């Protein structure tokens, strides 16, 4: 769990940061309204899913990473415990919270893994 500061996530989430939670696809289950889920293929890395009935944003599949990013706000019972900021080089809202601030992505996700000092 963490915060993404990239322009694309800011636009998608409609806020100055996007609170994400990453899950293995087999651990994500839609409990109601699955027939209304639509997908927009933004990039080869991201398949954005939203409700075609109400327009609400739900999650983003990341097939090359084998992960699903579920908007933290869409899980009312989730105890959100952010551990990192990603794409902090693009931030429009500096956050002084003591968490690691990565310039882009962790090296394990194909980024530089470079930290930006708080």
């Amino acid at each position: 769990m963490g915060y993404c500061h990239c322009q694309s996530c800011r636009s998608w989430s409609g806020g100055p940061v996007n609170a994400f939670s990453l899950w293995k696809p087999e651990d994500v289950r839609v409990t109601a309204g699955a027939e209304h889920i639509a997908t927009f293929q933004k990039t080869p890395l991201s398949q954005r899913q939203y409700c075609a009935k109400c327009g609400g944003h739900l999650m983003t599949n990341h097939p090359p990473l084998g992960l699903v990013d579920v908007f933290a706000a869409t899980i009312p019972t989730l105890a959100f415990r952010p551990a990192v900021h990603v794409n902090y080089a693009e931030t429009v809202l500096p956050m002084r919270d003591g968490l690691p601030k990565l310039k882009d992505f962790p090296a394990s996700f194909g980024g530089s893994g470079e930290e930006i000092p708080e």
Side-chain angles (χ1 to χ4, degrees), residues 24-105:
K24 293 179 182 176
E26 60 270 18
D27 293 332
V28 176
R29 184 171 50 94
V30 176
T31 59
E35 69 275 13
H36 301 295
I37 295 176
T39 301
F40 174 72
Q41 180 84 35
K42 169 88 173 159
T43 68
L45 182 65
S46 64
Q47 301 167 342
R48 295 176 172 179
Q49 293 193 306
Y50 60 95
C51 177
K53 187 173 179 180
C54 76
H57 298 179
L58 302 170
M59 62 190 116
T60 302
N61 291 324
H62 297 294
L65 301 176
L67 295 169
V68 178
D69 170 4
V70 181
F71 273 13
T74 64
I75 310 171
T77 59
L78 180 68
F80 184 66
R81 292 187 185 92
V84 67
H85 291 265
V86 296
N87 295 303
Y88 202 72
E90 298 182 44
T91 194
V92 297
L93 179 66
M95 299 171 73
R96 308 281 184 241
D97 56 11
L99 295 176
K101 315 281 192 289
L102 299 183
K103 174 184 173 185
D104 43 40
F105 288 108

